[in-house]
Amino acid sequence: MKLDNIFFISLVVTLLTGCTSTGKHVVKYSSEHAITIGYHGFGILPIVTPEARDTAARHCAEYDRKAVYQDVTYGISTYELHNFTCEIDRVIVTQEN
């Protein structure tokens, strides 16, 4: 195999693996009522990762609350801020006939 082919294949593999992973997840803000998690995304549109959801769920569980995804803030770069609120489980009461 030519050296040019090896270089090209290595370059393609490096670029593809770089585009399929997100950056380190960082808790930017947290309280009993909310948590914001930031990281560099990998796509054109922001996507909340399972790691971000799990981090929010564990945080809210410390306060016996449930993590509820609210929204995302992003700008020109790939950095995304995903916002969750920590809500008390709601009880829905229905009337029986």
Side-chain angles (χ1 to χ4, degrees), residues 26-91:
V26 177
V27 175
K28 296 301 221 174
Y29 171 81
S30 67
S31 73
E32 178 181 351
H33 304 287
I35 183 169
T36 299
I37 302 166
Y39 55 87
H40 284 281
F42 55 85
I44 295 172
L45 297 175
I47 297 174
V48 61
T49 62
E51 183 179 347
R53 289 187 186 276
D54 291 344
T55 300
R58 283 192 309 272
H59 168 77
C60 293
E62 292 177 9
Y63 302 99
D64 294 323
R65 294 172 182 242
K66 178 179 155 185
V68 178
Y69 185 73
Q70 294 301 311
D71 58 19
V72 62
T73 304
Y74 61 98
I76 296 173
S77 75
T78 61
Y79 200 76
E80 306 171 7
L81 291 170
H82 292 274
N83 304 300
F84 297 82
T85 55
C86 298
E87 299 182 8
I88 298 171
D89 283 333
R90 297 183 185 114
V91 176

